[in-house]
Amino acid sequence: MPSSTTTTPPTTDQRSSLLDQLRIDRRDARPERSRLLWLGSSAAAACAVGVAAWFLLTPASDGAIGVAAAVPIVPAVPATSAGLPSTGSILDASGYVVARRQATVSAKITGKVIAVLIEEGQRVEAGEVVARLDDTNARAQVAHAAALLEQQRAGLTATTVALANAEPGYARNREQFARAFISAQAFDTAQAAYDATLAAVEVAARGVDVAEASLALAQRALDDTVVRAPFGGIVTVKAAQEGEMVSPMSAGGGFTRTGIGTIVDMDSLEVEVDVSENFINRVHAGARVAITLNAYPEDSVGGRVIAIIPTADRAKATVKVRVGLDAKDARLLPEMGARVAFLASDGARADPSATRAEDHSIASSP
């Protein structure tokens, strides 16, 4: 009969001993990891030193061994556009290019347009014909005035002949009256007739003057049917077409034009900026400026302050400043946006933080 074996459960001490055998002791690994990290750092530092030494000891292009090529250090110079001083800006403001000579050309009389001789971008000279109006009625008035003038001149001729015929008779009657051959009543009648003829000549002469003035007026009305450029410039707007009615006054509602076109003198271009009244004391007439167009931000144009308009805008608390250009620039066009930097004078030190007045809003004072 086989004998049965009884298993005795382990005691608490035996369990603790078994758990201690299964635990991993990491105390010996920490020094090893620290040593590996130190070795890695040392190797990286050695590599960096070796690379730096290689760069330093590489022969220069001139054949020198072990000496690095000397690179000259040039101090930085602020980039400035040609013709502009290198002084700093004490105030920046934004504005627009405007033309001092700009006119919307219109007819002096109301009439129908029969020809428009301009186009946008066309160059016109002073006195050049830009449009013609219907001159049918004006020509008829000129012909009528000319006929009246001829009539008055014929009347003057007739009265002059009558006066010439009356003079011998009047002289004879005067001589006879002096010798008492005729009565005083007869002489008075002869003298009255002569005086009337003389007055008629004077009236006829004045009638000729009136007729000549009427003819000149009619001719002026005919000339007014031709619209001419008041000055030389570039046409920027063509406002009327053939067949439309034009008038110097706003009559006829939207069916009547008040102008033929707009002409701008490009030689009169300048820049107008609004400067805050808080900083207007930094601006004076004749001060140098640098003008930068928004369309060409990489270039600047030199200029000077022409004038400070002696009035302020209550709503915006700004003062308008006119700025002129030193030289003509074909890139400038009316109503272009521009930024103006007011430069410090030669004897004044520029403020490193210039006040900006972009879009008519002024930053806080530096």
Side-chain angles (χ1 to χ4, degrees), residues 183-226:
S183 63
Q185 183 177 1
F187 177 73
D188 291 341
T189 302
Q191 186 175 10
Y194 176 79
D195 291 341
T197 305
L198 185 63
V201 172
E202 186 66 20
V203 171
R206 300 289 78 79
V208 171
D209 294 340
V210 172
E212 289 177 348
S214 299
L215 179 60
L217 184 60
Q219 186 63 48
R220 180 67 61 84
L222 178 61
D223 294 340
D224 289 342
T225 61
V226 179

Side-chain angles (χ1 to χ4, degrees), residues 12-334:
T12 302
D13 295 338
Q14 293 176 347
R15 292 177 180 175
S16 299
S17 178
L18 292 174
L19 292 175
D20 291 339
Q21 294 177 3
L22 295 176
R23 184 179 294 111
I24 299 175
D25 191 2
R26 299 180 181 275
R27 290 175 299 177
D28 296 338
R30 292 177 182 175
E32 184 68 19
R33 178 178 298 177
S34 300
R35 188 171 63 86
L36 291 176
L37 290 176
W38 183 84
L39 290 176
S41 301
S42 300
C47 291
V49 172
V51 171
W54 183 81
F55 278 107
L56 293 175
L57 297 179
T58 299
S61 59
D62 56 355
I65 300 176
V67 180
V71 179
I73 299 177
V74 180
V77 178
T80 58
S81 298
L84 294 182
S86 59
T87 55
S89 171
I90 59 174
L91 181 67
D92 290 349
S94 61
Y96 298 93
V97 179
V98 298
R100 295 297 296 177
R101 296 185 69 189
Q102 175 176 330
T104 298
V105 182
S106 178
K108 296 174 61 177
I109 61 175
T110 301
K112 184 175 71 173
V113 180
I114 61 174
V116 179
L117 308 177
I118 57 173
E119 294 293 341
E120 289 87 346
Q122 177 182 345
R123 171 77 185 183
V124 296
E125 301 298 334
E128 183 177 344
V129 178
V130 298
R132 296 181 183 275
L133 306 183
D134 184 10
D135 59 356
T136 305
N137 295 337
R139 290 186 180 277
Q141 291 176 357
V142 170
H144 181 261
L148 290 177
L149 177 59
E150 293 300 325
Q151 181 184 10
Q152 293 296 328
R153 286 175 176 173
L156 176 60
T157 302
T159 55
T160 303
V161 172
L163 178 62
N165 294 332
E167 285 180 351
Y170 173 70
R172 186 167 51 251
N173 290 330
R174 183 175 54 187
E175 183 179 355
Q176 291 177 355
F177 176 73
R179 294 181 179 182
F181 291 159
I182 61 174
S183 63
Q185 183 177 1
F187 177 73
D188 291 341
T189 302
Q191 186 175 10
Y194 176 79
D195 291 341
T197 305
L198 185 63
V201 172
E202 186 66 20
V203 171
R206 300 289 78 79
V208 171
D209 294 340
V210 172
E212 289 177 348
S214 299
L215 179 60
L217 184 60
Q219 186 63 48
R220 180 67 61 84
L222 178 61
D223 294 340
D224 289 342
T225 61
V226 179
V227 184
R228 301 179 182 273
F231 51 82
I234 303 297
V235 178
T236 58
V237 177
K238 180 182 178 182
Q241 300 292 340
E242 290 81 355
E244 292 184 325
M245 294 294 296
V246 294
S247 174
M249 299 176 293
S250 299
F255 300 100
T256 302
R257 301 285 186 181
T258 57
I260 301 296
T262 301
I263 300 176
V264 176
D265 183 5
M266 292 300 180
D267 294 338
S268 67
L269 293 181
E270 61 183 41
V271 179
E272 287 187 355
V273 296
D274 289 337
V275 178
S276 172
E277 59 185 22
N278 296 331
F279 308 119
I280 196 61
N281 58 342
R282 303 185 184 184
V283 182
H284 61 274
R288 295 289 300 166
V289 299
I291 305 170
T292 304
L293 299 177
N294 295 344
Y296 305 97
E298 68 280 358
D299 295 331
S300 295
V301 181
R304 291 184 179 275
V305 176
I306 298 177
I308 302 174
I309 307 302
T311 184
D313 189 329
R314 179 187 301 180
K316 298 187 294 184
T318 57
V319 177
K320 190 177 296 295
V321 178
R322 293 175 52 199
V323 177
L325 288 79
D326 289 342
K328 300 177 184 178
D329 195 330
R331 298 175 300 177
L332 267 72
L333 299 176

Side-chain angles (χ1 to χ4, degrees), residues 1-12:
M1 180 176 182
S3 60
S4 60
T5 304
T6 304
T7 304
T8 305
T11 62
T12 302

